[in-house]
Amino acid sequence: MTIASIRKRNPALRRRFVATVVASPLLLGRMRAWAQVADLNDAINKAGRQRMLSQRMAKAWLSIGLGIEAGRAQRILGDSMALFDRQFVELKSYAPTKPIRDTYASLEPVWADYKAALVGQQPGKPAAAALVELDARVLKLAHQGTVQLEQHSGKSLGRLVNIAGRERMLSQRMAKFYLVQAWGVALPDAGKELDGARAEFVQALKTLREAPEATPAIRQELELADQQWTFFDNALKRLGDGTQGGQRAAEVFSSSENILQVMDRVTGLYARAGA
């Protein structure tokens, strides 16, 4: 199914969904707290968060389709879309160089297509492969913007903000590809992608832990991340384990949210370390 047909199929559903997101007082309060880019490290943090959101939205969409934590997943999808929109405006406005501005200009239509696919119809298995293809396009450009901002910084701390922020994305990417396989979506490289994200996540934890810039507060959060990773990794390894597929998928969903929260704190601590 094409993006154009999705838009035509149910525009009323999309309008109701967007109205619900915009009207949420809790969400508006959270977004006011992130009202503008404070400095370059904050820009790297937010740009990296866009990578995570691209994967988190797909994870939530797949969860709704599978009937796994559907109510929670719907809220996460709405919050994530609204936050992506807000941060996109901030980053596009802040972009300090023409190449970075060009990246966000390229991201805008790709994000519009992905957003339309996310809310244009009820999540269903036939549309899942196309949705994952769209999230990959958003991720690629969001990552490009993050790397450009890191390079513009030219500092080791900017690199660590990028690495820590990427851990958030990898947590959601692993959960997404778990759900892709659990649903039987025709993506033959899903297992390979999950394994690659797992290996990168473990290596990056080591890098963050050993960084000279790691403060006691950061190391404390990373110890918690290690604990959460044990739970998450165990849940990921249970794909196809017995007849409790729904319960296993719910454990992956919840564990990915828990480790995301920890890594978001770590990223924020690194972003503020040079302030």
Side-chain angles (χ1 to χ4, degrees), residues 182-261:
W183 207 0
V185 177
L187 288 172
D189 291 336
K192 181 180 177 181
E193 292 286 355
L194 196 161
D195 290 342
R198 177 190 280 118
E200 184 181 348
F201 186 92
V202 171
Q203 181 58 46
L205 273 183
K206 182 174 183 292
T207 299
L208 294 170
R209 192 183 304 111
E210 294 176 354
E213 295 88 347
T215 63
I218 289 173
R219 290 195 174 93
Q220 184 176 10
E221 289 291 346
L222 288 171
E223 288 178 8
L224 181 56
D226 284 333
Q227 297 169 18
Q228 293 294 336
W229 169 244
T230 298
F231 292 121
F232 186 34
D233 193 36
N234 285 338
L236 289 169
K237 290 175 179 176
R238 292 175 183 172
L239 182 65
D241 181 12
T243 59
Q244 299 178 319
Q247 179 181 335
R248 303 302 188 204
E251 290 173 0
V252 166
F253 185 96
S254 295
S255 296
S256 71
E257 287 296 304
N258 292 339
I259 201 163
L260 168 61
Q261 291 179 22

Side-chain angles (χ1 to χ4, degrees), residues 17-25 27-28 78 82:
F17 184 91
V18 172
T20 299
V21 170
V22 171
S24 169
L27 180 60
L28 290 175

Side-chain angles (χ1 to χ4, degrees), residues 45 49 52 160-172 174 201 204-206 208-209 218 221-226 228-229 232 255-271:
N45 183 5
R49 189 181 286 123
M52 176 276 290
L160 291 168
V161 176
N162 184 6
I163 292 172
R166 188 168 172 82
E167 291 287 76
R168 298 175 297 195
M169 181 278 288
L170 292 170
S171 73
Q172 303 306 291
M174 285 183 276
F201 186 92
L205 273 183
K206 182 174 183 292
L208 294 170
R209 192 183 304 111
I218 289 173
E221 289 291 346
L222 288 171
E223 288 178 8
L224 181 56
D226 284 333
Q228 293 294 336
W229 169 244
F232 186 34
S255 296
S256 71
E257 287 296 304
N258 292 339
I259 201 163
L260 168 61
Q261 291 179 22
V262 177
M263 293 314 304
D264 194 52
R265 291 197 296 270
V266 170
T267 310
L269 287 168
Y270 268 117

